C-alpha cells in the first residue's frame, strides 16, 4: 500500500472547508497540513475538485442471501463505490433468512465474503420471539438492531409489539447499542384499495402522518423508560418534529434520519400510476417536506439515508401502475450525494453540511465516529473526490444497481463523484473500477 498525499483548495474538514494537504499512510490519514508543506511522498493535485470524507449509509437493503435477484452484495457495493459510499450497513431484511438469529447472520456473512467492494456492517432484527438471540447477535458484531412497528412488507419479518421492545431495550441500553425503528402504528383498514389503484393521492392518504406521530410518541416513551439509544428511521411526517425536539431537549438518547426522496420529491408532483415513487412512509406534500428541510438544517434531524430498497421491475407494477400491489421501495444508493446536493445547494447548504449529514453523523450512529466520517489525523483514509459544479442526467446505463428502476431516472443532478478511496486505495476513478473486492465487514 503506497503512501501519498492529496492536495486541494477545497478540503472538507470538521472545522469547515479550506485548502489542505492530506497525508495518507498505511491506509489512514496521518496528517492534515497546509498546502506547500514539504512531504517525502507522491502528491496528487486535485485541482478544482473537492475532497470529502467517504459517505456512510446506515440504511440499505442489500437483500442477500435469498433475494439476491433483488440486489446483492456485488451490485450494491459496486454502486456504492460509484457514489462515493465507503461504508454501508445492511438491514436485517429483505434477505431470506432474515437476520434475526446468529445462524442467519452467519449465512449473511458467508454470502458477503469475497463480494464486498466497500465496507459493510450489519443490523440485527427484533421480531416477536427472538429476544434470546439478541446477546448472540451482539457477540457476533452487529452494530445495533432494527424493528418495525407495522407490517414490514414480508411475512418473515413481523412487526414487534411494545412488549417485544420492552424485553430487549434494557439489554441494548446496557450494551450501548441503538434500536432503529420504522415508526408507523398502522390500522387494519384496506378500504383504500377499493378506490383508484393508480391514484397517488389515494395511496398517500392510506398512510397518514398520524401513524408516524403515534409511533414516534411510543418510542420516545420507551426511550425515556429504558435509556436505550433510539433511532427513528426515514422520518416523513413533519408533525412529529415538535415531540422529537422536546425529547432531544430533555436529553433523551434519540436520533432521527430522513431520506433523500422526502427532501427531493413532493406528492403534488407524482403522477398517478408512477409506482416507482412508492415507498413507506410515503413521499408527502411540499409544505411538509420543507419542514423536514428546516429540521435537517437546524440539526433536529441528524442525517439523511437512502433506504435503498430495490426490487425486480415486475414487483414495482410498472405496467399496471397499481399502488395497491406494487413493492414499496426506492433504488437510490449510488445517487445519495448528488440528489441531496442538488436539493441542498439552492437552500444555502454547503458541502460541509453534507459531510455532517452523509458522513460524520451516520458514523456516530454506528459507533465508528472515532475512525470514520471525517478527514482528520488518525481516521481511515476513506475519501471521495467531487466535481461539485458538474451536472449530469440520470440514465439507467449509469446505474450499477442490479435493477435500474428508480424515480431519479431522467432527473438532472449536480455533483459528480470522480474518485473514491477506500483505506487509502483508489477503488473508483470515474468511470472505471480500479480495485474491487477491497471492502471489509465492520463490527463494533
Amino acid at each position: 500500500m503506497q503512501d501519498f498525499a492529496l492536495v486541494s483548495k477545497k478540503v472538507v474538514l470538521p472545522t469547515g472547508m479550506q485548502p489542505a494537504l492530506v497525508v495518507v499512510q498505511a491506509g489512514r490519514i496521518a496528517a492534515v497540513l497546509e498546502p506547500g508543506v514539504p512531504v517525502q511522498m507522491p502528491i496528487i493535485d486535485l485541482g478544482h475538485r473537492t475532497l470529502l470524507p467517504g459517505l456512510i449509509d446506515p440504511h440499505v437493503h442489500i437483500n442477500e442471501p435469498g433475494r439476491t435477484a433483488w440486489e446483492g452484495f456485488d451490485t450494491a457495493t459496486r454502486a456504492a463505490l460509484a457514489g462515493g459510499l465507503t461504508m454501508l450497513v445492511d438491514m436485517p431484511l429483505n434477505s431470506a433468512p432474515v437476520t434475526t438469529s446468529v445462524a442467519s447472520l452467519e449465512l449473511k456473512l458467508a454470502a458477503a465474503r469475497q463480494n464486498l467492494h466497500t465496507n459493510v456492517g450489519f443490523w440485527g432484527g427484533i421480531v416477536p420471539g427472538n429476544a434470546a438471540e439478541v446477546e448472540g447477535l451482539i457477540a457476533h458484531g452487529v452494530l445495533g438492531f432494527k424493528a418495525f412497528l407495522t407490517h414490514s412488507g414480508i411475512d418473515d419479518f413481523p412487526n414487534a409489539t411494545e412488549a417485544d421492545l420492552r424485553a430487549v431495550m434494557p439489554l441494548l441500553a446496557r450494551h450501548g447499542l441503538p434500536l432503529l425503528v420504522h415508526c408507523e402504528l398502522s390500522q387494519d383498514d384496506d378500504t383504500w384499495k377499493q378506490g383508484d389503484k393508480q391514484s397517488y393521492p389515494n395511496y398517500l392518504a392510506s398512510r397518514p402522518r398520524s401513524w408516524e406521530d403515534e409511533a414516534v410518541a411510543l418510542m420516545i416513551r420507551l426511550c425515556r423508560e429504558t435509556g436505550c439509544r433510539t433511532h427513528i428511521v426515514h422520518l416523513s411526517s413533519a408533525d412529529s418534529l415538535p415531540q422529537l425536539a422536546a425529547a432531544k431537549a430533555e436529553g433523551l438518547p434519540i436520533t432521527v434520519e430522513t431520506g433523500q426522496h422526502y427532501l427531493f420529491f413532493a406528492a403534488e408532483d407524482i403522477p398517478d400510476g408512477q409506482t416507482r415513487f412508492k415507498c413507506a412512509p410515503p413521499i408527502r406534500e411540499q409544505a411538509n417536506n420543507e419542514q423536514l428541510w428546516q429540521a435537517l438544517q437546524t440539526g433536529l434531524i441528524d442525517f439523511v439515508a437512502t433506504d435503498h430498497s430495490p426490487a425486480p421491475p415486475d414487483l414495482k407494477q410498472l405496467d399496471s401502475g397499481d399502488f395497491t400491489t406494487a413493492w414499496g421501495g426506492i433504488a437510490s444508493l449510488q445517487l445519495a450525494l448528488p440528489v441531496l446536493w442538488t436539493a441542498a445547494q439552492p437552500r444555502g447548504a454547503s458541502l460541509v453540511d453534507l459531510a455532517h449529514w452523509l458522513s460524520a453523523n451516520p458514523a456516530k450512529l454506528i459507533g465508528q465516529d472515532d475512525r470514520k466520517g471525517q478527514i482528520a489525523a488518525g481516521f481511515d483514509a476513506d475519501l471521495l473526490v467531487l466535481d461539485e459544479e458538474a451536472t449530469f442526467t440520470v440514465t439507467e446505463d449509469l446505474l450499477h444497481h442490479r435493477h435500474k428502476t428508480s424515480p431519479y431516472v431522467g432527473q438532472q443532478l449536480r455533483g459528480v463523484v470522480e474518485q473514491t478511496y477506500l483505506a487509502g486505495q483508489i477503488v473508483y476513478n470515474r468511470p472505471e473500477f480500479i480495485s474491487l473486492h477491497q471492502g471489509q465487514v465492520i463490527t463494533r
Side-chain angles (χ1 to χ4, degrees):
M1 186 178 294
Q2 186 180 23
D3 296 341
F4 64 98
L6 295 162
V7 65
S8 172
K9 296 177 181 178
K10 296 181 291 184
V11 179
V12 177
L13 303 174
T15 54
M17 183 186 291
Q18 63 187 65
L21 179 77
V22 179
V23 178
V24 176
Q25 293 180 325
R28 291 202 156 192
I29 298 169
V32 178
L33 307 172
E34 293 287 336
V37 172
V39 291
Q40 301 302 312
M41 59 183 62
I43 299 176
I44 301 170
D45 190 340
L46 299 180
H48 70 282
R49 297 174 296 174
T50 306
L51 185 66
L52 294 97
L55 309 185
I56 298 171
D57 192 336
H59 195 150
V60 180
H61 296 268
I62 296 178
N63 303 339
E64 189 172 10
R67 290 188 175 93
T68 312
W70 293 25
E71 186 63 278
F73 289 107
D74 176 59
T75 51
T77 58
R78 189 184 296 257
L81 285 188
L85 289 136
T86 53
M87 174 81 194
L88 311 177
V89 189
D90 180 44
M91 283 292 170
L93 71 166
N94 303 305
S95 57
V98 293
T99 317
T100 54
S101 68
V102 171
S104 60
L105 176 62
E106 289 176 340
L107 290 173
K108 178 157 284 196
L109 290 169
R113 293 189 183 100
Q114 310 305 318
N115 285 308
L116 298 184
H117 309 312
T118 197
N119 296 321
V120 174
F122 298 98
W123 300 118
I126 299 298
V127 296
N130 83 319
E133 294 282 351
V134 170
E135 285 279 14
L137 286 165
I138 293 173
H140 280 72
V142 297
L143 301 177
F145 290 81
K146 168 74 178 293
F148 275 71
L149 296 182
T150 187
H151 194 281
S152 69
I154 58 171
D155 292 336
D156 45 356
F157 199 96
N159 59 283
T161 66
E162 181 175 342
D164 296 320
L165 299 183
R166 287 183 181 279
V168 300
M169 290 180 73
L171 174 60
L172 301 189
R174 289 198 296 273
H175 285 275
L177 294 180
L179 174 67
L180 287 70
V181 188
H182 178 124
C183 282
E184 287 183 292
L185 284 174
S186 57
Q187 300 174 4
D188 292 329
D189 182 1
D190 285 342
T191 56
W192 74 279
K193 294 183 178 180
Q194 300 171 18
D196 186 347
K197 298 181 186 300
Q198 293 186 325
S199 166
Y200 185 77
N202 185 40
Y203 171 65
L204 176 60
S206 76
R207 302 185 87 105
R209 299 185 205 182
S210 59
W211 286 11
E212 283 189 79
D213 304 333
E214 292 167 8
V216 169
L218 170 63
M219 294 316 304
I220 290 173
R221 290 197 302 272
L222 293 178
C223 177
R224 182 183 295 114
E225 291 175 21
T226 65
C228 176
R229 290 175 57 199
T230 302
H231 180 70
I232 309 301
V233 300
H234 53 46
L235 181 74
S236 79
S237 171
D239 291 349
S240 285
L241 293 171
Q243 61 177 331
L244 287 166
K248 286 194 169 192
E250 185 182 334
L252 297 182
I254 195 161
T255 51
V256 190
E257 74 183 54
T258 192
Q260 279 88 345
H261 41 286
Y262 301 125
L263 302 170
F264 191 88
F265 297 116
E268 294 91 336
D269 301 323
I270 298 176
D272 286 349
Q274 288 297 318
T275 51
R276 52 180 49 86
F277 289 89
K278 182 182 178 180
C279 57
I283 296 167
R284 302 195 186 278
E285 301 85 354
Q286 183 69 46
N288 175 91
N289 298 351
E290 288 298 333
Q291 293 180 65
L292 296 179
W293 264 111
Q294 294 170 16
L296 179 65
Q297 291 185 277
T298 60
L300 175 53
I301 293 177
D302 296 270
F303 62 82
V304 186
T306 62
D307 187 13
H308 177 68
S309 186
D314 61 308
L315 292 183
K316 292 296 288 182
Q317 296 290 325
L318 300 180
D319 293 336
S320 69
D322 187 343
F323 278 99
T324 69
T325 57
W327 177 260
I330 289 179
S332 57
L333 183 62
Q334 186 176 329
L335 304 173
L337 190 157
V339 166
L340 192 59
W341 181 229
T342 301
Q345 191 182 38
R347 290 174 167 84
S350 69
L351 288 174
V352 175
D353 296 320
L354 261 70
H356 287 297
W357 300 336
L358 297 176
S359 299
N361 288 350
K364 294 177 184 177
L365 177 73
I366 64 175
Q368 300 291 313
D369 51 317
D370 60 341
R371 57 179 292 202
K372 295 186 180 297
Q374 296 183 31
I375 297 178
F379 279 63
D380 294 344
D382 298 340
L383 306 163
L384 73 90
V385 177
L386 180 73
D387 187 337
E388 65 181 87
E389 295 300 329
T391 61
F392 67 101
T393 299
V394 180
T395 59
E396 290 189 354
D397 63 308
L398 288 178
L399 298 178
H400 296 279
H401 312 140
R402 184 176 298 279
H403 301 293
K404 319 301 182 181
T405 302
S406 173
Y408 294 109
V409 171
Q411 295 288 335
Q412 186 177 65
L413 302 180
R414 181 176 300 277
V416 173
V417 175
E418 295 284 355
Q419 296 174 331
T420 305
Y421 290 81
L422 194 65
Q425 287 189 270
I426 185 166
V427 287
Y428 175 74
N429 189 13
R430 188 177 71 92
E432 302 294 331
F433 294 94
I434 305 302
S435 179
L436 291 177
H437 301 103
Q438 299 298 312
Q440 304 292 320
V441 172
I442 303 297
T443 58
R444 296 290 289 200

